[in-house]
């Protein structure tokens, strides 16, 4: 049974999620918001699997991490179908032991393979559950969690999930509190950019986007010739090079494989070109940065759905991956990037759509769920 929250002791919160930074970042943001909300002491621990990025990111953030087996749902007939029920039962049992050992008052799930057994263990033990869904199209784990959750929050307004309310994307305070105008000069100086030149930032995320990188290479002379400067995050091991293998260099072009602290890039940019992962869309909108999104063309069309609400709000444009080439840059991107009034309108529209304090909202829902659970 759940432990009764008592002002004399800390609230015990177990957060479950992992695999990618898209799950882990909001999980960490919720934990930090709980620790700083002033509503009472709290102890947050996390559950993940050994194969996800949480094994690095969670301990680096200062949180304890418990591990259970990764049990993906089989998608085609195989021996995995035969073994799946037993593996899931074992994962649920392991999750139940963790909840008991951590004396969980409430479980927070953000999706991923790890979340399903933790939800099922929490339901069995009577521990209240709070769900956060980052994407426009919910994953199976959060669809299961939402069935009996005390509260369900979504990062995007059109996400269809039982009992859901739109709360936005929990994000780091360095981003949610960013004043782009105030930080622009310092950010450009730190990134090696001209302080007064209109800046296009291009990123494919931490792993990069080869198709986007190719278009940057093909269009670079056009972009620089239009008076723009380009800050390009290529992704790890995807740097653009000259014929002799040295990094591509042009006056007005700065490339890096990765940047710790995307708030610097957001502050430096007048326009962002990026994939439309939910985290990117929500962060960029929250800070009021106009964007061109190039949705990842594989999967279930999720990235195009992620971008749709802010595009409809006129805070961003989208272009298909196969259409994002030099001709599109010449015809669409350069006229946009060299039109300061249009950029200002788009930035204002993005900011009206964006939500800056979803972490605080989610922390409130977690404490509410714990209180409701204690009264049952």
């Amino acid at each position: 049974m759940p432990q009764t929250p008592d002002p004399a002791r800390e609230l015990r919160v177990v957060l479950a999620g992992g695999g990618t930074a898209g799950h882990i970042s909001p999980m960490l943001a919720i934990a930090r918001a709980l620790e700083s909300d002033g509503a009472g002491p709290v102890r947050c621990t996390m559950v993940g699997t050994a194969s996800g990025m949480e094994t690095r990111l969670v301990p680096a953030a200062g949180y304890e991490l418990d591990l259970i087996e990764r049990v993906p749902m089989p998608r085609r007939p195989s021996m995995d179908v035969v073994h799946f029920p037993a593996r899931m039962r074992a994962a649920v049992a392991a999750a139940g032991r963790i909840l008991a050992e951590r004396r969980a008052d409430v479980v927070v799930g953000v999706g991923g393979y790890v979340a399903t057994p933790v939800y099922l263990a929490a339901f069995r033990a009577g521990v209240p559950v709070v769900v956060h869904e980052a994407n426009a199209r919910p994953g199976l784990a959060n669809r299961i969690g939402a069935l009996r959750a005390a509260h369900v929050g979504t990062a995007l307004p059109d996400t269809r999930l039982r009992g859901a309310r739109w709360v936005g994307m929990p994000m780091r305070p360095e981003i949610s509190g960013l004043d782009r105008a105030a930080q622009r000069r310092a950010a450009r100086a730190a990134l090696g950019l001209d302080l007064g030149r209109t800046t296009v930032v291009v990123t494919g995320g931490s792993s990069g986007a080869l198709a986007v990188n190719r278009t940057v290479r093909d269009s670079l002379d056009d972009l620089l010739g239009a008076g723009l400067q380009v800050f390009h995050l290529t992704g790890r091991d995807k740097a653009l090079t000259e014929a002799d293998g040295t990094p591509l260099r042009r006056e007005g072009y700065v490339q890096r494989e990765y940047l710790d602290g995307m708030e610097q890039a957001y502050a430096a940019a007048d326009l962002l070109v990026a994939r439309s992962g939910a985290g990117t869309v929500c962060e960029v909108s929250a800070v009021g940065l106009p964007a061109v999104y190039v949705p990842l063309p594989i999967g279930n069309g999720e990235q195009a759905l992620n971008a749709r609400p802010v595009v409809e709000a006129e805070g961003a444009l989208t272009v298909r991956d196969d259409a994002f080439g030099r001709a599109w840059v010449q015809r669409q991107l350069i006229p946009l990037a060299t039109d300061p009034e249009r950029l200002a309108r788009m930035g204002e529209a993005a900011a009206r759509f964006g939500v800056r304090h979803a972490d605080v909202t989610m922390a409130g829902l977690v404490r509410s769920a714990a209180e409701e659970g204690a009264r049952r």
Side-chain angles (χ1 to χ4, degrees):
M1 294 295 293
Q3 301 296 313
T4 302
D6 180 340
R9 72 162 180 86
E10 60 193 3
L11 178 70
R12 296 183 178 91
V13 182
V14 173
L15 299 99
T20 67
H23 287 135
I24 300 162
S25 294
M27 182 168 68
L28 294 174
I30 294 168
R32 292 191 182 105
L34 283 162
E35 292 169 343
S36 61
D37 65 5
V42 62
R43 183 181 184 190
C44 295
T45 61
M46 303 187 184
V47 184
T49 72
S51 61
M53 293 177 66
E54 60 269 25
T55 57
R56 177 173 58 87
L57 297 179
V58 169
Y63 295 99
E64 294 179 76
L65 178 67
D66 296 306
L67 299 177
I68 63 174
E69 184 184 0
R70 178 180 182 270
V71 188
M73 177 74 74
R75 298 186 182 277
R76 59 180 59 88
S78 69
M79 287 304 294
D80 288 339
V81 175
V82 176
H83 296 307
F84 175 78
R87 291 180 63 200
M88 179 57 75
R89 284 194 298 272
V92 172
R97 289 191 293 272
I98 290 168
L99 298 185
E101 290 166 2
R102 295 296 186 179
R103 299 175 63 200
D105 296 308
V106 60
V107 161
V108 180
V110 296
Y113 292 122
V114 68
T116 301
V118 177
Y119 290 148
L120 295 176
F123 297 156
R124 180 179 295 174
V127 177
V129 167
V130 176
V131 172
H132 184 271
E133 173 57 55
N135 292 297
R137 184 169 284 160
L140 175 61
N142 279 351
R143 294 203 304 272
I144 291 171
L147 293 175
R148 292 173 57 186
H151 301 287
V152 179
T154 65
L156 298 165
D158 297 334
T159 302
R160 303 180 71 174
L161 197 59
R162 181 174 178 176
R165 57 180 285 193
W166 178 32
V167 300
M169 177 73 81
M171 58 189 72
R172 294 184 298 113
E174 293 85 356
I175 293 175
S176 62
L178 179 65
D179 183 332
R180 289 179 52 240
Q183 296 298 317
R184 181 173 294 119
R185 289 179 63 85
R188 289 182 179 174
L191 298 177
L193 297 166
D194 187 300
L195 301 186
R197 195 166 171 181
T198 300
T199 303
V200 177
V201 171
V202 182
T203 176
S206 59
S207 60
L210 288 173
V212 172
N213 290 353
R214 283 195 295 270
T215 295
V216 171
R217 178 190 288 279
D218 294 345
S219 310
L220 190 54
D221 289 341
D222 301 312
L223 291 161
L224 301 178
L228 303 167
Q229 66 181 339
V230 177
F231 182 74
H232 184 192
L233 294 170
T234 63
R236 297 191 191 279
D237 302 319
K238 294 183 176 68
L240 298 188
T241 60
E242 304 282 7
D244 62 2
T246 60
L248 179 66
R249 289 185 173 87
R250 298 284 189 278
E251 195 279 321
Y253 175 69
V254 177
Q255 66 167 312
R256 292 192 188 179
E257 290 193 355
Y258 183 76
L259 179 66
D260 259 332
M262 278 300 292
E263 61 273 8
Q264 274 194 322
Y266 296 158
D270 293 290
L271 176 66
L272 182 86
V273 178
R275 293 297 196 200
S276 49
T280 298
V281 171
C282 292
E283 289 181 356
V284 170
S285 300
V287 302
L289 176 58
V292 171
Y293 292 119
V294 189
L296 191 68
I298 61 175
N300 58 10
E302 177 181 281
Q303 286 208 351
L305 293 175
N306 291 342
R308 186 168 64 186
V310 69
V311 171
E312 291 176 347
E314 301 183 345
L317 302 177
T318 53
V319 53
R320 293 193 326 273
D321 186 77
D322 60 0
F324 183 63
R326 183 181 181 188
W328 196 93
V329 170
Q330 293 172 330
R331 187 176 64 253
Q332 299 285 348
L333 194 150
I334 290 174
L336 170 60
T338 54
D339 186 341
E341 292 183 0
R342 187 180 176 196
L343 289 176
R345 290 194 302 271
M346 288 178 65
E348 291 168 1
R352 286 194 297 271
F353 169 78
V355 180
R356 285 185 178 251
H357 301 299
D359 56 340
V360 175
T361 303
M362 286 300 298
L365 294 179
V366 173
R367 289 193 181 274
S368 172
E371 292 168 5
E372 293 163 8
R375 289 196 294 266
R376 287 203 297 267

